[in-house]
Amino acid sequence: MTLGNGPMSIVVQSAALVSLIWSCIVFFVQGIGISQIFRHHSAPHAKPASPNLEEDEVPHITLIRPVKGVEGGLYECLASSFRLAYPRSRLTIYFCVATVTDPAYPILQQVVADFSGFDARVLVEEEDPLLHGNSGHINNLGPNPKIRNMSRAYREAKGDIIWIADCNVWIGTGSAGRMVDKLCGFLPDGGRTTPYKFVHQLPLVVDIGSPRNAQEQSLLSQHTTHPHPPNSLLDHGGRLEELFMSTTHAKFYGAINTVCIAPCIIGKSNMFRKSHLDRFSDPSQNPILSTRDASRGRGLDFFSSYICEDHLIGDLIWRSKLPGFKNHGLVFGEVAIQPISGMSVAAYIARRVRWLRVRKWTVLLATLVEPGVESLVCCLHLSFALTTLAWFHEIFGVEQTWGAMGRIWLSAVAVWMLVDRWVGNKLNKLQSVEADEHTPFFALGSARRGGIQQRPFLEWLAAWLGRELLALPIWTWAVLLGTSVNWRGKHFKVRMDMSVVETDGPRRPPAAPSKGHVNSCNKDCID
């Protein structure tokens, strides 16, 4: 591998130095994320303060849960909305669905009936007066189906705090109080600290195999196809998703939200104030917006022409100045658990491709460097640096041969894999989750009886290798070879300004983007 002292050697040595710096940065960032995981996910946290305030002092929450189709564990995920340790009188729950023909609609009706006495409603998009009826029009909102689904719930929200939690995540009993505590700055001793503009939870995925609820199993069987035999390796995409979210994603998500250099969020469980978003989305009150944004509506409606609404909401709140408030806060120890059932490897790949494409122009720099944070490529950077830079050979005696490079690469990948196994097992124990008689099996964790058992090492290793080997091909296909996505049953083309055009049918042109739009770092995520 030695190239002498010519110009080419200087180029190679410089490249090796860049590789060394890059790999060290990646290892350092992962170290931050790993330390936060072990610090905050080893035991249940103290009880939140806000639910124990005088009733008229407890902030009112409007919990909005957009629903699309039936997934495994759906009833339990929705039911967790009613089992929150939060005053019932200070909680409003809106389930949002596009049509009454959606297969999830009967489950929504059932869960609301089962928990009578709550301020809960099922809101149907096709009954929204803004979009339908004498005074409404179908194009009053842009094509984003999730925003169209939630728009009425947001407009009719009670109180100021908005909590958007996807229908397919289970939220713990103490999560409402802890998120409100962080958002509003409540302390356990009755004191106050600096509040946040936006708070969120760590998303995790659990592959549950088949749902245990008979009604969900019946509905899933009507709307899910299995192109391969159930025992085929190609039917285990859920394991890839579970592993990714509990290893690579969790490490970087925790690290970036610790250093807080940029917004890094996933729209699984996010909380903010309606008054803030309404103000920040008004060009007359927010100088970072252009006058062209005046036609885009306010609040959630502001983002209806953009498909990556979770990140864009967080980014707008992050960039908008508001004295006396911190930007974003991850509620460490709180997790939003998504049970997955029957996901094929093809579906896993399609989901990863979709989210890389919708975020490609949102976080372009982070998307372009993303392959470098994956194990196989990052360890290649390290092994190249160690076997190329002269001082490693002179001081430590590292051989400058291809064989040495290969051995270092394999060793580094093996260490990375073992660390992922360690971190994943810690998170999958769900030790920070408070369990009771209502906690579903997929939220009990591997350390409790009746929960999802720890994956055998060889089974886990197969999933880890599959995930790592697919990472670069998925990135290449998503980032370099296309711009179209399929989301919530509709086809979209993603534009460079991050707006989208629905290709299934006519829609009004998307609104103009705001000036100085998104410039931040975020890992790819799932719907």
Side-chain angles (χ1 to χ4, degrees):
M1 289 181 64
T2 303
L3 297 175
N5 298 316
M8 191 61 185
S9 176
I10 296 175
V11 172
V12 172
Q13 291 286 313
S14 299
L17 181 60
V18 171
S19 290
L20 179 65
I21 294 172
W22 174 257
S23 57
C24 289
I25 291 173
V26 173
F27 297 147
F28 177 72
V29 171
Q30 287 195 84
I32 294 174
I34 291 169
S35 66
Q36 291 290 56
I37 288 170
F38 278 82
R39 177 184 176 189
H40 295 285
H41 293 268
S42 296
H45 288 222
K47 298 292 183 182
S50 52
N52 298 316
L53 298 173
E54 295 294 331
E55 185 170 342
D56 59 348
E57 296 179 359
V58 178
H60 194 286
I61 300 173
T62 298
L63 174 55
I64 301 175
R65 307 206 66 173
V67 182
K68 174 67 175 178
V70 179
E71 300 182 50
L74 178 63
Y75 181 92
E76 289 297 340
C77 289
L78 298 176
S80 66
S81 309
F82 301 93
R83 291 171 174 150
L84 297 168
Y86 204 79
R88 185 178 302 190
S89 62
R90 311 301 291 172
L91 180 65
T92 297
I93 302 169
Y94 289 144
F95 297 128
C96 308
V97 66
T99 70
V100 296
T101 59
D102 190 291
Y105 186 70
I107 294 182
L108 299 181
Q109 291 181 307
Q110 183 64 52
V111 72
V112 171
D114 289 346
F115 293 92
S116 59
F118 283 82
D119 181 11
R121 295 173 60 192
V122 178
L123 299 179
V124 183
E125 180 189 320
E126 62 184 5
E127 299 171 359
D128 185 347
L130 179 68
L131 300 173
H132 305 276
N134 295 331
S135 59
H137 193 280
I138 190 69
N139 286 336
N140 278 342
L141 292 174
N144 184 311
K146 193 171 181 180
I147 295 293
R148 296 172 67 87
N149 185 274
M150 297 188 294
S151 175
R152 184 180 180 185
Y154 180 87
R155 298 193 312 267
E156 298 181 5
K158 300 177 182 179
D160 195 30
I161 294 181
I162 302 293
W163 184 8
I164 299 177
D166 282 358
C167 67
N168 56 11
V169 298
W170 179 90
I171 47 182
T173 57
S175 57
R178 292 192 182 94
M179 292 182 76
V180 168
D181 282 0
K182 189 144 194 170
L183 185 74
C184 299
F186 294 117
L187 296 175
D189 60 2
R192 299 292 294 269
T193 187
T194 306
Y196 284 81
K197 293 185 289 183
F198 183 101
V199 299
H200 51 122
Q201 294 176 273
L202 175 69
L204 289 178
V205 167
V206 176
D207 181 19
I208 64 173
S210 299
R212 298 183 183 182
N213 180 289
Q215 183 181 18
E216 289 174 5
Q217 180 64 68
S218 176
L219 287 167
L220 274 171
S221 64
Q222 299 173 27
H223 298 277
T224 303
T225 58
H226 294 278
H228 302 280
N231 292 327
S232 168
L233 289 175
L234 297 178
D235 286 329
H236 291 289
R239 293 295 173 89
L240 304 183
E241 192 75 65
E242 174 186 287
L243 184 142
F244 169 71
M245 295 301 289
S246 64
T247 54
T248 299
H249 183 271
K251 290 183 294 185
F252 283 98
Y253 200 75
I256 297 172
N257 280 290
T258 297
V259 298
C260 294
I261 58 173
C264 181
I265 61 168
I266 284 185
K268 284 296 171 186
S269 178
N270 302 330
M271 183 181 286
F272 53 88
R273 295 171 183 82
K274 187 175 187 291
S275 59
H276 286 182
L277 191 60
D278 289 345
R279 172 181 173 179
F280 297 153
S281 58
D282 184 351
S284 67
Q285 300 185 67
N286 193 347
I288 71 172
L289 299 180
S290 167
T291 54
R292 293 176 298 171
D293 293 316
S295 63
R296 290 173 59 180
R298 301 293 175 266
L300 285 186
D301 294 353
F302 185 82
F303 306 93
S304 64
S305 292
Y306 297 83
I307 200 170
C308 191
E309 78 290 326
D310 54 350
H311 180 80
L312 295 181
I313 290 170
D315 180 74
L316 179 62
I317 292 175
W318 177 281
R319 294 184 298 117
S320 301
K321 303 300 181 183
L322 192 64
F325 289 85
K326 296 181 182 179
N327 274 325
H328 290 185
L330 176 61
V331 185
F332 287 101
E334 280 294 334
V335 292
I337 303 172
Q338 178 184 359
I340 280 185
S341 174
M343 174 185 279
S344 66
V345 172
Y348 165 81
I349 293 173
R351 180 175 267 182
R352 301 252 61 82
V353 167
R354 179 174 72 246
W355 283 108
L356 277 168
R357 284 182 177 173
V358 302
R359 293 177 183 274
K360 176 166 57 177
W361 302 117
T362 310
V363 283
L364 180 59
L365 179 60
T367 302
L368 293 178
V369 303
E370 186 165 304
V373 306
E374 302 289 359
S375 62
L376 304 185
V377 176
C378 185
C379 291
L380 188 62
H381 277 289
L382 178 67
S383 61
F384 168 66
L386 295 183
T387 55
T388 302
L389 291 172
W391 66 76
F392 284 104
H393 174 67
E394 295 168 358
I395 298 176
F396 300 105
V398 178
E399 297 179 10
Q400 294 183 316
T401 64
W402 293 110
M405 182 175 171
R407 290 191 295 273
I408 293 174
W409 179 78
L410 284 173
S411 300
V413 169
V415 171
W416 189 306
M417 178 267 297
L418 292 173
V419 170
D420 275 357
R421 173 68 168 175
W422 182 46
V423 171
N425 285 347
K426 165 56 71 173
L427 277 176
N428 290 332
K429 289 179 180 179
L430 299 176
Q431 292 172 299
S432 63
V433 173
E434 298 159 314
D436 57 28
E437 68 274 15
H438 300 299
T439 304
F441 72 98
F442 57 79
L444 288 174
S446 60
R448 297 187 181 99
R449 179 177 299 178
I452 298 291
Q453 297 300 307
Q454 179 176 307
R455 309 301 184 190
F457 177 74
L458 291 180
E459 183 180 307
W460 180 91
L461 178 60
W464 189 87
L465 290 172
R467 214 294 300 184
E468 301 303 311
L469 291 171
L470 284 172
L472 185 57
I474 288 174
W475 180 90
T476 304
W477 176 256
V479 176
L480 305 180
L481 301 176
T483 60
S484 62
V485 296
N486 186 317
W487 187 47
R488 289 185 163 231
K490 298 179 183 294
H491 296 271
F492 301 92
K493 180 179 180 180
V494 184
R495 293 177 166 179
M496 290 180 67
D497 65 2
M498 295 163 292
S499 64
V500 293
V501 177
E502 185 178 341
T503 58
D504 288 333
R507 216 37 114 182
R508 72 175 182 179
S514 61
K515 66 181 181 179
H517 217 57
V518 182
N519 180 22
S520 56
C521 179
N522 194 12
K523 285 290 292 176
D524 59 312
C525 64
I526 63 177
D527 175 24

